[in-house]
Coordinates of all heavy atoms in Angstrom, one line a residue:
K231 N -22.3 33.2 124.5 CA -21.1 32.5 125.0 C -21.0 32.7 126.5 O -19.9 32.6 127.0 CB -19.9 32.8 124.3 CG -19.5 34.3 124.2 CD -18.2 34.5 123.5 CE -17.8 36.0 123.4 NZ -18.6 36.6 122.4
K232 N -22.1 32.8 127.2 CA -22.1 33.0 128.6 C -21.5 31.8 129.3 O -21.9 30.6 129.0 CB -23.6 33.2 129.1 CG -23.6 33.5 130.6 CD -25.0 33.8 131.1 CE -25.1 34.1 132.6 NZ -26.4 34.3 133.1
G233 N -20.5 32.0 130.1 CA -19.8 30.9 130.8 C -18.8 30.2 129.9 O -18.2 29.2 130.3
I234 N -18.6 30.6 128.6 CA -17.7 29.9 127.7 C -16.4 30.8 127.6 O -16.5 32.0 127.4 CB -18.3 29.8 126.4 CG1 -19.6 29.1 126.5 CG2 -17.4 28.9 125.4 CD1 -19.6 27.7 127.0
K235 N -15.3 30.1 127.6 CA -14.0 30.8 127.5 C -13.2 30.3 126.3 O -13.5 29.2 125.8 CB -13.2 30.7 128.8 CG -13.8 31.5 129.9 CD -13.0 31.6 131.2 CE -13.6 32.3 132.3 NZ -12.8 32.4 133.5
L236 N -12.2 31.0 125.9 CA -11.2 30.6 124.9 C -9.9 30.5 125.6 O -9.3 31.4 126.1 CB -11.2 31.6 123.8 CG -10.1 31.4 122.7 CD1 -10.4 30.0 122.0 CD2 -10.1 32.5 121.7
Y237 N -9.3 29.3 125.6 CA -8.0 29.0 126.0 C -7.0 29.0 124.8 O -7.1 28.2 123.9 CB -7.8 27.7 126.8 CG -8.4 27.7 128.2 CD1 -9.2 28.7 128.7 CD2 -8.2 26.6 129.0 CE1 -9.8 28.7 130.0 CE2 -8.8 26.5 130.3 CZ -9.5 27.6 130.7 OH -10.1 27.5 132.0
L238 N -5.9 29.8 125.0 CA -4.8 29.8 124.0 C -3.6 29.4 124.6 O -3.0 30.0 125.5 CB -4.7 31.2 123.4 CG -5.9 31.9 122.7 CD1 -5.6 33.4 122.4 CD2 -6.3 31.1 121.5
V239 N -3.1 28.2 124.2 CA -1.8 27.7 124.7 C -0.8 28.0 123.7 O -0.7 27.4 122.6 CB -1.9 26.2 124.9 CG1 -0.6 25.7 125.6 CG2 -3.1 25.8 125.9
L240 N 0.1 29.0 123.9 CA 1.0 29.6 122.9 C 2.4 29.4 123.3 O 2.8 29.5 124.5 CB 0.6 31.1 122.7 CG -0.8 31.4 122.3 CD1 -0.9 32.9 122.2 CD2 -1.2 30.7 121.0
S241 N 3.2 29.1 122.4 CA 4.7 29.1 122.5 C 5.3 30.3 121.7 O 4.8 30.6 120.7 CB 5.3 27.8 122.0 OG 5.0 27.6 120.7
G242 N 6.3 30.8 122.3 CA 7.0 32.0 121.6 C 6.5 33.3 122.1 O 5.6 33.4 122.9
E243 N 7.0 34.4 121.5 CA 6.7 35.7 121.9 C 5.3 36.2 121.4 O 5.1 36.1 120.1 CB 7.8 36.7 121.5 CG 7.6 38.1 122.0 CD 8.8 39.0 121.6 OE1 9.7 38.5 121.0 OE2 8.7 40.2 121.8
I244 N 4.5 36.7 122.2 CA 3.2 37.2 121.8 C 3.3 38.6 121.3 O 3.8 39.5 122.0 CB 2.2 37.1 123.0 CG1 2.1 35.7 123.5 CG2 0.8 37.6 122.6 CD1 1.4 35.5 124.8
T245 N 2.7 38.8 120.1 CA 2.8 40.1 119.5 C 2.0 41.2 120.1 O 1.0 40.9 120.9 CB 2.4 40.0 118.0 OG1 1.0 39.7 117.9 CG2 3.2 39.0 117.2
T246 N 2.3 42.5 119.9 CA 1.5 43.6 120.5 C 0.1 43.5 119.9 O -0.8 43.8 120.7 CB 2.2 44.9 120.1 OG1 3.5 44.9 120.6 CG2 1.4 46.1 120.7
Q247 N 0.0 43.2 118.7 CA -1.3 43.0 118.1 C -2.3 42.0 118.8 O -3.4 42.4 119.1 CB -1.2 42.6 116.6 CG -2.6 42.4 115.9 CD -2.4 41.7 114.5 OE1 -1.4 41.3 114.2 NE2 -3.5 41.7 113.8
L248 N -1.7 40.9 119.2 CA -2.5 39.9 120.0 C -2.8 40.4 121.3 O -3.9 40.3 121.9 CB -1.7 38.6 120.0 CG -1.8 37.7 118.8 CD1 -1.0 36.4 119.1 CD2 -3.2 37.3 118.5
K249 N -1.8 41.1 122.0 CA -2.1 41.6 123.3 C -3.2 42.6 123.3 O -4.1 42.5 124.2 CB -0.8 42.2 123.9 CG 0.3 41.2 124.2 CD 1.5 41.9 124.7 CE 2.7 40.9 125.0 NZ 3.9 41.7 125.4
K250 N -3.3 43.5 122.4 CA -4.3 44.5 122.3 C -5.7 43.9 122.0 O -6.7 44.3 122.5 CB -3.9 45.5 121.2 CG -2.8 46.5 121.6 CD -2.6 47.5 120.5 CE -1.5 48.5 120.9 NZ -1.2 49.5 119.9
L251 N -5.6 42.9 121.2 CA -6.9 42.1 120.8 C -7.5 41.4 122.0 O -8.7 41.4 122.2 CB -6.6 41.2 119.6 CG -7.8 40.6 118.9 CD1 -8.6 41.8 118.3 CD2 -7.4 39.7 117.9
I252 N -6.7 40.9 122.9 CA -7.1 40.1 124.0 C -7.4 41.0 125.2 O -8.3 40.7 126.1 CB -6.0 39.1 124.4 CG1 -5.9 38.1 123.3 CG2 -6.3 38.4 125.7 CD1 -4.6 37.2 123.4
E253 N -6.8 42.2 125.3 CA -7.0 43.1 126.5 C -8.5 43.3 126.8 O -8.9 43.4 128.0 CB -6.3 44.4 126.3 CG -4.8 44.3 126.6 CD -4.1 45.6 126.3 OE1 -4.8 46.6 125.9 OE2 -2.9 45.8 126.5
K254 N -9.3 43.5 125.8 CA -10.7 43.8 126.0 C -11.5 42.7 126.6 O -12.6 42.9 127.0 CB -11.3 44.3 124.6 CG -10.6 45.6 124.1 CD -11.2 45.9 122.7 CE -10.4 47.1 122.1 NZ -11.0 47.4 120.7
D255 N -11.0 41.5 126.4 CA -11.7 40.3 126.8 C -10.9 39.4 127.7 O -10.9 38.2 127.6 CB -12.2 39.5 125.6 CG -13.3 40.3 124.8 OD1 -14.4 40.2 125.1 OD2 -12.8 40.9 123.8
E256 N -10.2 40.0 128.6 CA -9.2 39.2 129.5 C -9.9 38.2 130.3 O -9.4 37.2 130.7 CB -8.4 40.2 130.4 CG -7.4 40.9 129.6 CD -6.5 41.8 130.5 OE1 -7.0 42.1 131.6 OE2 -5.4 42.2 130.1
D257 N -11.2 38.5 130.6 CA -11.9 37.5 131.4 C -12.4 36.3 130.6 O -12.8 35.3 131.2 CB -13.1 38.2 132.1 CG -14.1 38.8 131.1 OD1 -13.6 39.2 130.0 OD2 -15.3 38.8 131.3
K258 N -12.4 36.5 129.3 CA -13.0 35.5 128.4 C -11.9 34.7 127.7 O -12.0 33.5 127.3 CB -13.9 36.0 127.4 CG -15.3 36.4 127.9 CD -16.2 35.2 128.2 CE -17.6 35.7 128.6 NZ -18.4 34.4 128.8
I259 N -10.8 35.4 127.4 CA -9.7 34.8 126.6 C -8.4 34.6 127.5 O -7.9 35.7 127.9 CB -9.3 35.6 125.3 CG1 -10.6 35.8 124.5 CG2 -8.2 35.0 124.5 CD1 -10.4 36.8 123.4
I260 N -8.0 33.4 127.7 CA -7.0 33.2 128.7 C -5.8 32.6 127.9 O -5.9 31.6 127.2 CB -7.4 32.2 129.8 CG1 -8.8 32.5 130.3 CG2 -6.3 32.1 130.9 CD1 -8.8 33.8 131.0
I261 N -4.6 33.1 128.2 CA -3.4 32.6 127.5 C -2.5 31.8 128.5 O -2.3 32.1 129.7 CB -2.5 33.8 127.1 CG1 -3.2 34.5 125.9 CG2 -1.1 33.3 126.6 CD1 -2.5 35.7 125.3
F262 N -2.1 30.6 128.1 CA -1.2 29.8 128.8 C 0.1 29.5 128.0 O 0.1 29.6 126.8 CB -1.9 28.4 129.0 CG -3.1 28.5 129.8 CD1 -4.4 28.6 129.2 CD2 -3.1 28.3 131.2 CE1 -5.5 28.7 129.9 CE2 -4.3 28.4 132.0 CZ -5.6 28.6 131.3
S263 N 1.2 29.3 128.7 CA 2.4 28.9 128.0 C 3.2 28.0 128.9 O 3.0 27.9 130.2 CB 3.2 30.2 127.7 OG 3.6 30.9 129.0
R264 N 4.1 27.3 128.4 CA 5.1 26.4 129.1 C 4.3 25.4 130.0 O 4.7 25.2 131.1 CB 6.1 27.2 129.9 CG 7.0 28.1 129.0 CD 8.1 28.7 129.8 NE 8.9 27.7 130.4 CZ 10.0 27.1 129.8 NH1 10.2 27.3 128.5 NH2 10.7 26.3 130.5
L265 N 3.3 24.8 129.4 CA 2.6 23.7 130.2 C 3.3 22.5 130.1 O 3.9 22.2 129.0 CB 1.2 23.5 129.7 CG 0.2 24.7 129.8 CD1 -1.1 24.3 129.1 CD2 0.0 25.1 131.3
D266 N 3.4 21.7 131.1 CA 4.1 20.4 131.0 C 3.1 19.5 130.1 O 1.9 19.7 130.0 CB 4.4 19.7 132.3 CG 3.2 19.3 133.1 OD1 2.4 18.4 132.6 OD2 2.9 19.9 134.1
Y267 N 3.6 18.5 129.5 CA 2.9 17.7 128.5 C 1.7 17.1 129.1 O 0.6 17.1 128.4 CB 3.8 16.6 127.9 CG 3.3 16.0 126.6 CD1 3.1 16.9 125.5 CD2 3.2 14.7 126.4 CE1 2.6 16.3 124.3 CE2 2.8 14.1 125.2 CZ 2.5 14.9 124.2 OH 2.0 14.4 123.0
E268 N 1.7 16.4 130.2 CA 0.5 15.8 130.8 C -0.6 16.8 131.1 O -1.8 16.6 130.8 CB 0.9 15.1 132.0 CG 1.7 13.8 131.8 CD 1.9 13.0 133.0 OE1 1.2 13.2 134.1 OE2 2.7 12.0 133.0
K269 N -0.2 18.0 131.6 CA -1.2 19.0 131.8 C -1.8 19.5 130.6 O -3.0 19.7 130.4 CB -0.6 20.2 132.6 CG -1.6 21.2 133.0 CD -1.1 22.2 134.0 CE -2.1 23.2 134.5 NZ -1.6 24.2 135.5
L270 N -1.0 19.6 129.5 CA -1.5 20.0 128.2 C -2.5 19.0 127.7 O -3.6 19.4 127.2 CB -0.4 20.2 127.2 CG -0.8 20.5 125.7 CD1 -1.5 21.9 125.7 CD2 0.4 20.5 124.9
I271 N -2.2 17.8 127.8 CA -3.1 16.7 127.3 C -4.5 16.8 128.1 O -5.5 16.7 127.5 CB -2.5 15.3 127.4 CG1 -1.4 15.2 126.5 CG2 -3.5 14.2 127.2 CD1 -0.5 14.0 126.7
C272 N -4.4 17.1 129.4 CA -5.6 17.2 130.2 C -6.4 18.4 129.8 O -7.6 18.3 129.8 CB -5.2 17.2 131.7 SG -4.7 15.6 132.3
F273 N -5.7 19.4 129.4 CA -6.5 20.6 128.9 C -7.2 20.2 127.6 O -8.3 20.6 127.4 CB -5.5 21.8 128.6 CG -5.3 22.7 129.7 CD1 -5.1 22.3 131.0 CD2 -5.3 24.1 129.5 CE1 -4.9 23.2 132.0 CE2 -5.2 25.0 130.5 CZ -5.0 24.5 131.8
Y274 N -6.6 19.4 126.7 CA -7.2 18.9 125.6 C -8.5 18.1 126.0 O -9.6 18.3 125.4 CB -6.4 18.0 124.8 CG -5.1 18.6 124.1 CD1 -4.1 17.8 123.6 CD2 -5.0 20.0 123.9 CE1 -3.0 18.3 122.9 CE2 -3.9 20.5 123.3 CZ -2.9 19.7 122.8 OH -1.8 20.2 122.2
K275 N -8.3 17.2 126.9 CA -9.4 16.2 127.2 C -10.6 16.9 127.8 O -11.7 16.4 127.7 CB -8.8 15.2 128.1 CG -8.0 14.1 127.5 CD -7.4 13.2 128.5 CE -6.7 12.0 128.0 NZ -7.4 10.8 128.0
N276 N -10.4 18.0 128.4 CA -11.5 18.7 129.1 C -12.1 19.8 128.4 O -13.0 20.5 128.9 CB -11.0 19.2 130.5 CG -10.8 18.0 131.5 OD1 -11.6 17.1 131.6 ND2 -9.6 17.9 132.1
A277 N -11.7 20.0 127.2 CA -12.2 21.2 126.3 C -13.5 20.8 125.7 O -13.9 19.6 125.6 CB -11.2 21.5 125.3
L278 N -14.3 21.8 125.3 CA -15.5 21.6 124.6 C -15.2 21.0 123.2 O -15.8 20.1 122.7 CB -16.3 22.9 124.4 CG -17.0 23.5 125.6 CD1 -17.6 24.8 125.3 CD2 -18.1 22.5 126.1
A279 N -14.2 21.7 122.6 CA -13.7 21.2 121.2 C -12.3 21.9 121.1 O -11.9 22.9 121.8 CB -14.6 21.7 120.1
L280 N -11.5 21.4 120.1 CA -10.1 21.8 119.9 C -10.0 22.5 118.5 O -10.5 21.9 117.5 CB -9.2 20.6 120.1 CG -9.3 19.9 121.4 CD1 -8.6 18.6 121.4 CD2 -8.7 20.9 122.6
L281 N -9.4 23.6 118.5 CA -9.4 24.4 117.3 C -8.1 24.4 116.5 O -7.1 24.5 117.0 CB -9.6 25.9 117.7 CG -10.8 26.2 118.7 CD1 -10.8 27.6 119.1 CD2 -12.1 25.7 118.2
I282 N -8.3 24.2 115.2 CA -7.1 24.1 114.3 C -7.5 24.5 112.9 O -7.6 23.7 112.0 CB -6.4 22.7 114.3 CG1 -5.2 22.7 113.5 CG2 -7.5 21.6 114.0 CD1 -4.1 23.6 113.9
P283 N -7.8 25.8 112.6 CA -8.2 26.2 111.3 C -6.9 26.3 110.4 O -5.9 26.8 110.8 CB -8.8 27.7 111.5 CG -8.0 28.1 112.8 CD -7.8 26.9 113.6

Side-chain angles (χ1 to χ4, degrees):
K231 53 177 179 286
K232 184 177 180 181
I234 308 296
K235 294 187 178 181
L236 172 63
Y237 283 11
L238 301 174
V239 182
L240 305 178
S241 60
E243 186 176 351
I244 299 171
T245 64
T246 303
Q247 179 188 7
L248 281 181
K249 288 178 181 176
K250 289 183 177 179
L251 195 60
I252 293 168
E253 276 177 3
K254 301 175 183 177
D255 294 275
E256 287 182 340
D257 60 327
K258 288 284 188 180
I259 303 173
I260 315 296
I261 295 179
F262 299 88
S263 63
R264 298 186 61 82
L265 295 178
D266 69 67
Y267 195 57
E268 288 189 9
K269 187 170 184 179
L270 176 61
I271 293 171
C272 287
F273 267 46
Y274 291 165
K275 284 178 172 254
N276 291 309
L278 289 172
L280 301 167
L281 312 178
I282 182 65

